[in-house]
Amino acid sequence: MRNIFYYSISALIFSLFLLPKGNDGEIEVTCSVTNCQQKDSLYLFEFNGISFARSQGAALENDVAKFNLPETEPRFYYVGLSAVDARPVIIGSEKKVGLSSSCGGFRTASINDSDLNKKYETLKKTMTGFNNEMRSLNDELRKKMSSQEGMKEMHQKYVDLDNRKLAHLEKLKTETPYLAKVFALNTYMSFQVNGKQYPNELAYFAKEYFQLVDWNDAGLDYMPWVFESMKNYSTTLSKVKLPVKEHRFYLTDLLAKIPSNSRTYRLALGGVLAGLEQTSHGNYKHFAEQFIQKYEDILPLEAADLKKKIKQKSAMMIGGQAPDFVLNTPDGNPVSLASFRGKVTLIDFWASWCGPCRRENPYVAKLYEKYKDHGFEILGVSLDNNKDRWLAAIEKDGLPWTHVSDLKKWKSGPLSMYGVRSIPHTVLLDREGNIIAQKLRSHGLEQELVKLFGF
């Protein structure tokens, strides 16, 4: 029986929009606002793949603001007083679009006189309905996996659901092509019907989730769902605990399908970063550096922010490079974490006064004895502020590995670097100094070491 993997990609609305380029004709957007006496303008905001920027303003006169925009293919805009309180609106093909809102409540503003936006609201409900159906089928499948007849019945249900999705996509392509692109970005065809060539659903999901999307379509350049769908995709891959290299391969392979000089690529890469940041995945650094290299010249502020995030988050992300630090042994000799490269290393944050730490020590000592001759080392980082108690605990618990401390308790330097807020807190590193796992306790640590050493 092939493995079944399922992760629901809910139809989230990230409230993004982008400013169109000029064309013949003009569109009037009228915003009627109440309770806004202290404000004199409304704004449009542009999303660049990683952040929002104010792109246009309109004066509020008698509680009304008007924007005049060039007619283009439909695109998403963000209208409001600020980027955090704004309403996504599709603008471009309809001559007039109206909004009405109270001041400070733009997220729930009403959109008037727009058939396209009305259809979009209907589409969101349709996508949610399909997602809920898929979730229900997966729950039902698990109950019938032991029955051959039950599996045949389930297969037909998946066929029916897939066919209805495809029929809806074709209908949208004919009636509302712009919304067909939104639907394609959010439509996952079932593994049970379409994944026979793959060993499991995870592999199928990783390679085929976007099978209905034409990445060469220039109409995706200003499509915010590129960002959101890629965010959901990278979040899913991160949550299933793939090996770092395999995880990176899938994301790199997908990005390679998108023209690298397109705006679509920037939205997609931004979505990847958002998903990796949300899940604190170690590949965040790799793809953030790609974004910096590619877009630093045109987005210098965003690039600078990414550089700060890389530095701040690297020690908290699986697969990230563990930041180096230097502390003294009880004899006053400085020891750097970098000196442990070439060994599988456990950084063990503990203290003599920490009861749970002391109870863990016998298990850790047992594992150290088992693996020390096979390339396993431990660096004990104590949060003590009393040297005698620290040394007494090391001797009493029989901890023969390297120990360091600056005797500053919770003000110890490495704590902020590694996000340590409680102890015991462990960080397991591979031989290159990359983070494999964090917060491992006895049994969990043993499982990781068995995987690494093979016994």
Side-chain angles (χ1 to χ4, degrees):
M1 180 66 65
R2 291 183 291 173
N3 294 329
I4 301 298
F5 165 80
Y6 176 69
Y7 185 88
S8 173
I9 302 293
S10 60
L12 302 175
I13 305 306
F14 189 62
S15 301
L16 313 178
F17 79 96
L18 295 145
L19 195 64
K21 299 177 182 178
N23 202 347
D24 293 336
E26 198 169 70
I27 295 166
E28 183 178 271
V29 181
T30 303
C31 306
S32 300
V33 188
T34 59
N35 303 319
C36 228
Q37 293 81 2
Q38 304 302 316
K39 306 293 182 181
D40 57 11
S41 298
L42 290 185
Y43 302 96
L44 297 180
F45 297 89
E46 182 180 12
F47 185 69
N48 57 32
I50 197 168
S51 66
F52 293 90
R54 185 186 296 176
S55 62
Q56 191 178 139
L60 264 172
E61 298 178 358
N62 298 320
D63 296 328
V64 175
K66 291 185 178 181
F67 298 93
N68 293 306
L69 304 171
E71 185 176 352
T72 66
E73 291 296 313
R75 293 177 186 171
F76 276 82
Y77 285 79
Y78 216 14
V79 183
L81 292 167
S82 68
V84 296
D85 181 26
R87 178 69 156 90
V89 187
I90 304 173
I91 303 171
S93 60
E94 297 171 308
K95 289 295 184 181
K96 291 187 177 182
V97 177
L99 286 85
S100 56
S101 175
S102 62
C103 201
F106 276 91
R107 284 186 175 184
T108 56
S110 299
I111 302 176
N112 312 311
D113 306 320
S114 172
D115 185 58
L116 181 56
N117 281 280
K118 188 179 296 184
K119 288 180 178 179
Y120 176 60
E121 293 302 316
T122 300
L123 177 62
K124 289 191 290 183
K125 294 176 182 178
T126 300
M127 292 191 299
T128 299
F130 280 136
N131 284 336
N132 289 339
E133 277 195 71
M134 177 72 88
R135 185 181 297 110
S136 295
L137 286 183
N138 279 298
D139 290 341
E140 188 178 353
L141 176 66
R142 293 186 186 98
K143 298 174 183 178
K144 296 183 177 180
M145 288 178 65
S146 59
S147 166
Q148 188 173 1
E149 287 301 315
M151 290 298 287
K152 288 181 180 179
E153 176 190 349
M154 292 307 303
H155 185 271
Q156 187 56 47
K157 288 184 178 182
Y158 281 111
V159 169
D160 175 66
L161 179 57
D162 283 350
N163 286 341
R164 285 187 285 120
K165 288 179 180 179
L166 290 174
H168 194 75
L169 178 60
E170 291 306 311
K171 181 181 178 182
L172 287 170
K173 286 180 178 179
T174 300
E175 297 178 356
T176 322
Y178 183 74
L179 296 185
K181 304 177 200 296
V182 175
F183 189 71
L185 283 161
N186 289 280
T187 299
Y188 177 56
M189 304 301 291
S190 72
F191 164 70
Q192 290 74 16
V193 177
N194 304 281
K196 293 181 180 179
Q197 70 193 82
Y198 292 94
N200 53 57
E201 189 167 5
L202 175 56
Y204 168 75
F205 172 88
K207 297 290 287 185
E208 302 291 349
Y209 178 72
F210 291 105
Q211 62 184 274
L212 299 178
V213 178
D214 177 9
W215 290 116
N216 292 304
D217 183 355
L220 297 178
D221 279 351
Y222 291 87
M223 169 59 75
W225 276 104
V226 170
F227 172 93
E228 187 60 28
S229 297
M230 289 293 285
K231 175 185 173 183
N232 291 334
Y233 175 82
S234 64
T235 298
T236 299
L237 288 184
S238 300
K239 285 187 174 181
V240 295
K241 307 294 185 183
L242 283 169
V244 172
K245 289 183 179 179
E246 185 179 356
H247 177 276
R248 185 183 300 180
F249 166 79
Y250 283 132
L251 290 174
T252 301
D253 183 62
L254 176 55
L255 287 169
K257 297 176 181 178
I258 306 171
S260 62
N261 60 346
S262 68
R263 208 170 186 283
T264 302
Y265 189 93
R266 194 202 307 172
L267 289 172
L269 184 54
V272 166
L273 287 179
L276 298 181
E277 181 177 6
Q278 180 173 294
T279 53
S280 297
H281 198 281
N283 274 329
Y284 177 84
K285 179 176 184 288
H286 174 81
F287 289 101
E289 288 175 344
Q290 279 193 14
F291 197 101
I292 292 167
Q293 181 179 7
K294 194 169 182 65
Y295 301 115
E296 185 170 18
D297 290 343
I298 60 174
L299 299 172
L301 296 178
E302 289 80 359
D305 185 56
L306 283 178
K307 289 177 182 178
K308 290 179 182 177
K309 285 184 176 181
I310 289 172
K311 186 175 181 180
Q312 292 168 354
K313 294 175 180 292
S314 61
M316 303 176 193
M317 292 183 166
I318 304 303
Q321 184 76 45
D324 191 26
F325 60 86
V326 178
L327 289 177
N328 287 343
T329 65
D331 295 330
N333 298 317
V335 173
S336 69
L337 176 63
S339 66
F340 287 77
R341 291 283 177 87
K343 302 269 190 173
V344 173
T345 303
L346 182 74
I347 310 173
D348 183 16
F349 293 94
W350 74 297
S352 65
W353 45 262
C354 169
C357 304
R358 302 291 295 274
R359 289 191 290 273
E360 281 289 303
N361 280 342
Y363 299 104
V364 178
K366 182 180 178 181
L367 292 172
Y368 181 70
E369 184 64 28
K370 180 178 180 180
Y371 292 108
K372 66 179 182 178
D373 294 331
H374 301 276
F376 177 54
E377 272 301 335
I378 299 176
L379 178 61
V381 181
S382 172
L383 274 63
D384 278 280
N385 60 358
N386 183 299
K387 184 176 179 180
D388 291 338
R389 291 177 182 172
W390 174 34
L391 294 176
I394 293 172
E395 183 177 359
K396 183 175 182 179
D397 293 357
L399 311 179
W401 49 83
T402 303
H403 292 271
V404 294
S405 180
D406 53 14
L407 297 176
K408 294 181 179 179
K409 208 169 182 179
W410 289 105
K411 294 182 180 180
S412 181
L415 297 191
S416 60
M417 298 167 65
Y418 285 83
V420 179
R421 295 180 175 84
S422 63
I423 53 175
H425 182 108
T426 57
V427 183
L428 185 63
L429 312 181
D430 65 17
R431 298 177 191 273
E432 288 74 45
N434 299 311
I435 298 172
I436 299 171
Q438 301 191 62
K439 299 182 181 180
L440 294 170
R441 304 293 281 267
S442 53
H443 182 62
L445 175 59
E446 182 176 15
Q447 286 182 319
E448 286 295 330
L449 293 177
V450 168
K451 285 194 292 185
L452 287 168
F453 292 104
F455 67 96

